[in-house]
């Protein structure tokens, strides 16, 4: 009982901490538009485009868009170097990859130790400016800070950032965010689950630490000679 109670106390404390952190983020870390956003990141490539790795939004056959619903609306906000007009688009990964096939580009990768990194490949210029393509699920283009908001659905997707004229090089700074509408429910669930485990753990530890009734253990009853 002591061992099981100690494990429940440990797990319950962890869930309470995670729930408290999630609730604090839900209440205090959102911007005026309701988004939770990353820190400002900078990325550059000598090529003609910066793109993400393909993002697969799927969560099992029974609920193929579960991750998409969890994320809520997604926002990519970026500013080009020197106020150069910028293009941001999200498209089915296969079509975006076809447009960028053989094009000099940088691939954005997230490393937990190093943060955002860019791997650049040499190549030719794209066949035409990005805004002229018709496969984008959502896109924005213009001078200054551009903000793309997209409601994701299940599928394989790619985010592409380019100069509006399709030229090189590409250098931006920006953030990625999401509304994560389910965050408050997740936080409350973690807090409730952690609280229940904590109560159960305290009860088990208290029961396991209770001194044993020595008289009962020795089979001694009232009225029997000792």
């Amino acid at each position: 009982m002591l061992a099981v109670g100690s494990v429940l106390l440990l797990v319950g404390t962890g869930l309470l901490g995670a729930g408290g952190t999630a609730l604090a983020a839900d209440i205090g870390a959102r911007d005026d538009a309701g988004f939770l956003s990353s820190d400002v990141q900078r990325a550059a490539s000598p090529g003609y485009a910066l793109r993400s790795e393909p993002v697969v939004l799927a969560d099992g056959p029974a609920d193929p868009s579960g991750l998409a619903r969890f994320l809520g609306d997604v926002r990519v906000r970026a500013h080009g170097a020197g106020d150069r007009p910028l293009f941001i688009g999200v498209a089915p990964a296969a079509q975006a990859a076809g447009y960028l096939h053989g094009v000099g580009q940088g691939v954005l990768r997230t490393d937990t130790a190093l943060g955002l990194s860019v791997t650049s490949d040499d190549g030719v210029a794209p066949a035409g400016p990005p805004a002229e393509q018709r496969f984008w699920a959502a896109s924005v283009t213009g001078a200054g800070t551009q903000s793309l908001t997209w409601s994701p659905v299940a599928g394989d997707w790619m985010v592409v950032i380019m100069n509006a004229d399709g030229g090189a090089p590409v250098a931006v700074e920006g953030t990625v965010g999401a509304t994560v509408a389910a965050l408050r429910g997740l936080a409350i669930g973690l807090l409730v689950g952690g609280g229940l485990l904590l109560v159960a753990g305290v009860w088990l530890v208290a029961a396991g630490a209770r001194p044993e009734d020595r008289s009962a253990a020795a089979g001694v009853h009232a009225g029997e000679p000792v």
Side-chain angles (χ1 to χ4, degrees):
M1 294 177 72
L2 280 171
V4 174
S6 298
V7 171
L8 292 182
L9 285 174
L10 182 63
V11 175
T13 301
L15 291 179
L16 285 174
T21 300
L23 188 61
D26 181 75
I27 295 174
R30 295 183 183 276
D31 61 20
D32 293 340
F35 284 87
L36 296 170
S37 298
S38 68
D39 294 332
V40 175
Q41 302 285 336
R42 293 174 176 80
S45 170
Y48 301 86
L50 286 166
R51 69 168 178 86
S52 70
E53 295 182 292
V55 177
V56 180
L57 293 179
D59 195 17
D63 186 16
S65 61
L67 180 58
R69 288 200 302 271
F70 177 79
L71 288 174
D73 291 337
V74 173
R75 184 182 68 192
V76 180
R77 178 174 287 174
H79 184 93
D83 289 330
R84 189 173 184 178
L86 197 65
F87 171 89
I88 308 173
V90 59
Q95 291 178 283
Y99 168 61
L100 294 175
H101 179 69
V103 172
Q105 59 195 271
V107 181
L108 300 169
R109 293 185 171 89
T110 301
D111 186 288
T112 55
L114 301 176
L116 188 68
S117 62
V118 179
T119 302
S120 295
D121 297 321
D122 295 331
V124 299
E132 294 181 0
Q133 313 309 311
R134 296 291 177 259
F135 51 77
W136 305 107
S139 65
V140 292
T141 186
T145 299
Q146 297 300 302
S147 185
L148 170 68
T149 301
W150 176 58
S151 297
V153 295
D156 295 0
W157 301 96
M158 186 180 292
V159 177
V160 178
I161 302 176
M162 302 175 65
N163 295 314
D165 60 4
V170 182
V172 300
E173 62 178 24
T175 61
V176 177
T179 55
V180 196
L183 183 61
R184 181 163 299 187
L186 175 63
I188 293 173
L190 289 171
L191 289 172
V192 171
L196 292 175
L197 289 179
L198 206 61
V199 171
V202 169
W203 184 86
L204 286 173
V205 168
R210 187 178 302 142
E212 184 181 0
D213 188 338
R214 300 182 181 276
S215 296
V220 179
H221 304 283
E224 291 184 353
V226 178

